[in-house]
């Protein structure tokens, strides 16, 4: 089957309005992302209604820019791929409606894409994807170990029982008064820290699941205890301890998964994969598995964007996955079909 | 001139193809919380019935609000996308004018939740004052003070039977008084509640 395809992809699941044009599943013709981070920073987190408002403000600007930079026209496009979910319902609606409008006007097929599939296939921009594959998906909304025996076949081996990893970083950063988003702030501060504090180990019922809420409350209790005793909190040391504890949890489960299923490639995906310490520690861990390839995507395709939806959309398009005009945003969209 | 009218601001979904002041096809249905699923099929059906091709479309007239936030964004997304990719001009009007149509001194109220209503007085197709938010008591007061006005819309808010006027008259009135959008990128819904209300 020919791999040739030209996909117009739209992603609006959270706080980025993003549109991209992707050729043959791995060539970026244009990739426009309008981030709302500055607005949400003022609110100390993503406000769903505010996010929806910003999407509708941005959609026409982003669309025109994406088409303009792509060097192609909408008539050249083979399909419109869009993030159907999961995500914030009001935000998803804008992208779904924009996609349906384009599909109707230009008479193009509609290809629904799961946001996580997008994060995983973002790796197609930097490496040849090999199966069976294990993806460690870490972001503000997700913490998942996804197993793929073959192309576009997803099995969730483990997921978080409470907060997503990025959420845990944000909450802890709030307790430590480090601002929003919390991930980069803690990652940077942890570089100057060392072991001083002790946080409890995480326990989960299923061996490959994650849990971060215990760590988060432990940090809060520690901060309160230090305050009560009139001791000055060493923020760098706490950032270090928290980050190591979170990554211990993530890497332990990844290692367990590798030893449970047959894997040829491990890919890192999602916004938290920008975390420098995670990149270092995962790379080191994978050194002991010389037969398993590791893909760590460049920063530009780890945070939410539409290029990744185009990469996954190209595969879904080839597989014949389609949506019709009655399709809608699905905030709780399931990756496993 | 081939014109598409869309209203998704309230619980109805209204789509119409209009040419030379004639409604060629019309979709008007109660579509509470399902406008997003239904709007594209409704547009498609209207075009089929009118025997139009999407690319023949020259302008879109939409209600900018007030109404449900999710709702007002539906028609607006369709319009903003179309205007971004094709030579289609966009015109806006309000949901209040759609409901009042060309009737005289009609006060339209729409459920804004939390015992409040979006409302405004429309006279012969024109808003007398800007749409704003009223408490139920304020609406009742207005009703007492203005026996010459008629009331339309979500009248259950003031314990009366809902009242909807002729939708075709509403559509044609909207088209007559709609304003051309000069900068499609700057177009936003008429929310009447600010971002700040969402700050925790
Ligand atoms: Zn994401």
């Amino acid at each position: 089957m020919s791999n040739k395809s030209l996909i117009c992809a739209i992603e609006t699941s959270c706080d980025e309005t993003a549109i991209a044009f992707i050729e043959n599943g791995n060539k970026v013709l244009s990739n426009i992302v309008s981030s709302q981070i500055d607005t949400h920073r003022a609110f100390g987190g993503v406000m769903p209604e505010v996010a929806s408002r910003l999407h509708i403000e941005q959609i026409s600007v982003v669309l025109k820019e994406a088409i303009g930079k792509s060097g192609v026209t909408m008539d050249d496009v083979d399909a419109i791929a869009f993030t159907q979910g999961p995500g914030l319902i009001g935000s998803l609606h804008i992208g779904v409606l924009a996609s349906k409008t384009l599909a109707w006007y230009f008479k193009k097929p509609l290809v629904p894409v799961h946001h996580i599939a997008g994060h995983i296939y973002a790796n197609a921009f930097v490496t040849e994807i090999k199966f069976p594959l294990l993806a460690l998906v870490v972001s503000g909304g997700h913490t998942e170990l996804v197993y793929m025996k073959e192309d576009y076949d997803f099995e969730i081996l483990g997921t978080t029982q409470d907060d997503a990893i990025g959420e845990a970083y944000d909450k802890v950063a709030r307790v430590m008064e480090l601002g929003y988003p919390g991930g980069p702030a803690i990652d940077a501060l942890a570089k100057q820290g060392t072991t001083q504090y002790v946080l409890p180990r995480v326990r989960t019922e299923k061996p490959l699941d994650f849990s971060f809420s215990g760590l988060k409350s432990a940090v809060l209790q520690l901060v309160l205890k230090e305050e009560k005793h009139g001791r000055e909190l060493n923020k760098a040391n706490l950032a270090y301890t928290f980050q190591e504890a979170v990554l211990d949890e993530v890497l332990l489960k990844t290692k367990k998964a590798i030893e449970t299923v047959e894997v040829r490639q491990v890919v890192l995906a999602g916004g938290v994969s920008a975390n420098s310490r995670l990149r270092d520690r995962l790379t080191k861990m994978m050194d002991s598995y010389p037969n398993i390839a590791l893909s760590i995507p460049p920063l530009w395709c780890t945070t939410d964007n539409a290029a990744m939806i185009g990469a996954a959309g190209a595969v879904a398009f080839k597989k014949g996955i389609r949506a019709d005009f009655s399709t809608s945003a699905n905030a709780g969209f399931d990756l496993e079909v | 001139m081939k014109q598409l009218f869309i209203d998704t601001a309230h619980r109805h979904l209204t789509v119409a193809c209009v040419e030379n002041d004639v409604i060629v096809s019309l979709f008007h249905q109660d579509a509470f919380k399902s406008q997003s699923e239904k709007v594209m099929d409704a547009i498609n059906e209207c075009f089929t019935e009118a025997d139009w091709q999407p690319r023949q479309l020259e302008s879109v007239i939409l209600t900018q609000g007030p109404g449900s936030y999710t709702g007002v964004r539906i028609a607006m997304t369709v319009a903003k996308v179309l205007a971004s990719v094709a030579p289609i001009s966009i015109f806006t009007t309000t949901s209040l004018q759609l409901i009042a149509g060309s009737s005289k001194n009609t006060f339209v109220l729409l459920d804004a939740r939390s015992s409040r209503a979006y409302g405004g007085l429309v006279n012969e197709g024109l808003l007398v004052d800007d749409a704003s938010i009223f408490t139920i008591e304020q609406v009742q007061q207005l009703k007492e003070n203005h026996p010459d006005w008629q009331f339309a819309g979500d009248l259950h808010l003031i314990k009366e039977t809902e009242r909807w006027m002729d939708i075709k008259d509403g559509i044609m009135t909207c088209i007559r008084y709609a304003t051309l959008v000069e900068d499609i990128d700057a177009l936003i819904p008429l929310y009447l509640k600010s971002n700040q209300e969402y700050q925790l």
Side-chain angles (χ1 to χ4, degrees):
Chain A
M1 200 193 280
S2 156
N3 272 338
K4 286 212 170 312
S5 65
L6 178 62
I7 306 288
C8 165
I10 303 188
E11 148 68 40
T12 60
S13 66
C14 188
D15 58 345
E16 325 277 355
T17 315
I19 302 182
F21 284 78
I22 304 300
E23 195 174 69
N24 307 333
N26 63 6
K27 191 178 168 207
V28 181
L29 301 184
S30 67
N31 181 31
I32 307 301
V33 181
S34 166
S35 174
Q36 310 179 348
I37 190 86
D38 289 337
T39 307
H40 294 295
R41 192 177 283 128
F43 288 101
V46 177
M47 298 283 122
E49 172 58 21
V50 175
S52 304
R53 290 182 176 198
L54 294 173
H55 283 302
I56 192 131
E57 281 178 30
Q58 291 304 317
I59 192 81
S60 53
V61 181
V62 173
L63 177 58
K64 283 184 275 188
E65 206 178 328
I67 296 173
K69 290 212 170 130
S70 69
V72 294
T73 69
M74 283 305 303
D75 286 309
D76 302 326
V77 163
D78 293 307
I80 319 285
F82 63 98
T83 306
Q84 182 154 34
L88 302 171
I89 189 73
S91 293
L92 286 164
H93 269 314
I94 310 290
V96 174
L97 274 161
S99 304
K100 291 203 277 190
T101 306
L102 291 173
W104 171 73
Y105 192 78
F106 293 101
K107 302 191 171 168
K108 303 290 181 187
L110 274 170
V111 179
V113 173
H114 191 285
H115 184 77
I116 294 290
H119 274 304
I120 296 171
Y121 277 96
N123 284 277
F125 293 118
V126 289
T127 185
E128 191 201 327
I129 295 189
K130 299 185 194 100
F131 302 96
L133 170 150
L134 178 73
L136 171 62
V137 185
V138 280
S139 75
H142 303 279
T143 315
E144 257 129 30
L145 279 165
V146 181
Y147 186 53
M148 296 176 69
K149 282 200 187 99
E150 54 188 81
D151 228 359
Y152 230 73
D153 174 65
F154 308 95
E155 184 189 344
I156 295 173
L157 299 181
T159 184
T160 179
Q161 295 178 338
D162 36 65
D163 295 339
I165 181 170
E167 228 178 325
Y169 268 97
D170 284 342
K171 288 179 179 171
V172 165
R174 200 174 304 151
V175 168
M176 292 170 67
E177 294 169 345
L178 298 176
Y180 172 86
I186 290 178
D187 191 20
L189 194 59
K191 286 193 169 67
Q192 303 148 35
T194 179
T195 41
Q196 175 194 350
Y197 302 113
V198 179
L199 291 171
R201 290 220 75 86
V202 177
R203 273 194 193 88
T204 57
E205 258 169 55
K206 289 194 210 145
L208 298 180
D209 275 351
F210 305 90
S211 169
F212 301 105
S213 68
L215 277 175
K216 179 194 66 192
S217 0
V219 167
L220 180 60
Q221 276 157 22
L222 195 146
V223 170
L224 293 174
K225 197 179 84 191
E226 294 298 282
E227 220 167 71
K228 198 175 128 199
H229 290 288
R231 290 193 290 257
E232 201 185 325
L233 186 73
N234 186 318
K235 285 189 182 182
N237 287 352
L238 183 54
Y240 175 85
T241 309
F242 168 73
Q243 172 147 294
E244 291 306 307
V246 166
L247 299 183
D248 283 349
E249 163 81 348
V250 167
L251 295 172
L252 176 76
K253 303 298 163 74
T254 308
K255 197 176 165 68
K256 269 190 189 159
I258 292 171
E259 285 163 8
T260 311
V261 290
E262 189 205 337
V263 179
R264 274 184 75 202
Q265 188 176 39
V266 169
V267 306
L268 186 60
V272 178
S273 64
N275 183 288
S276 65
R277 184 70 178 150
L278 171 59
R279 289 171 167 250
D280 289 352
R281 286 190 59 183
L282 182 63
T283 307
K284 243 180 229 120
M285 184 182 99
M286 291 309 295
D287 283 346
S288 37
Y289 301 94
N291 297 324
I292 302 176
L294 171 67
S295 171
I296 296 187
L299 299 182
W300 74 264
C301 61
T302 60
T303 49
D304 289 353
N305 63 75
M308 69 186 203
I309 300 303
V315 182
F317 173 60
K318 245 192 333 177
K319 293 248 166 197
I321 297 169
R322 299 288 182 272
D324 59 23
F325 289 152
S326 67
T327 195
S328 190
N330 182 351
F333 195 17
D334 202 348
L335 181 62
E336 296 168 306
V337 199
Chain B
M1 179 82 152
K2 287 186 163 52
Q3 298 173 299
L4 170 67
F5 176 87
I6 320 176
D7 165 65
T8 54
H10 196 40
R11 32 165 251 255
H12 301 111
L13 168 61
T14 309
V15 174
C17 286
V18 181
E19 191 165 22
N20 306 327
D21 293 334
V22 176
I23 295 177
V24 187
S25 54
L26 171 67
F27 181 103
H28 178 65
Q29 226 181 54
D30 203 313
F32 183 63
K33 289 202 170 165
S34 64
Q35 288 128 326
S36 167
E37 284 90 335
K38 290 182 178 159
V39 68
M40 227 56 233
D41 277 320
I43 293 173
N44 205 34
E45 273 171 39
C46 280
F47 268 65
T48 308
E49 201 186 318
D51 199 18
W52 291 3
Q53 285 301 313
R55 297 205 195 199
Q56 292 178 302
L57 182 63
E58 292 166 274
S59 74
V60 176
I61 298 97
L62 72 141
T63 54
Q64 200 175 350
S68 122
Y69 301 153
T70 311
V72 293
R73 287 194 281 260
I74 293 170
M76 192 159 288
T77 305
V78 173
K80 288 186 88 152
V81 167
L82 287 175
S84 304
V85 295
I88 294 173
S89 41
I90 307 298
F91 295 82
T92 58
T93 179
T94 66
S95 48
L96 305 179
Q97 287 162 285
L98 174 67
I99 291 163
S102 60
S103 59
K104 283 199 170 124
N105 290 323
T106 305
F107 189 90
V108 177
L109 65 153
L110 297 174
D111 196 346
R113 289 185 283 184
S114 323
S115 301
R116 293 193 291 179
Y118 299 115
L121 182 66
V122 183
N123 188 30
E124 296 183 327
L126 289 168
L127 271 175
V128 177
D129 261 319
D130 284 346
S132 62
I133 298 185
F134 297 85
T135 63
I136 304 306
E137 295 70 49
Q138 286 172 322
V139 176
Q140 271 155 344
Q141 199 62 56
L142 283 170
K143 196 165 189 307
E144 268 169 41
N145 296 348
H146 300 277
D148 54 320
W149 292 1
Q150 55 174 337
F151 283 70
D154 285 328
L155 300 191
H156 63 265
L157 293 170
I158 52 167
K159 301 209 162 49
E160 288 178 24
T161 319
E162 286 179 15
R163 180 162 181 234
W164 307 99
M165 324 283 274
D166 178 41
I167 191 67
K168 290 186 177 173
D169 174 54
I171 294 170
M172 294 318 296
T173 305
C174 281
I175 292 180
R176 193 166 311 129
Y177 295 113
T179 358
L180 175 69
V181 175
E182 305 278 356
D183 178 2
I184 186 71
D185 299 331
L187 178 64
I188 54 165
L190 191 58
Y191 291 120
L192 303 183
K193 289 185 195 168
S194 74
N195 268 351
Q196 265 48 47
E197 289 194 40
Y198 298 92
Q199 194 150 16
L200 295 177

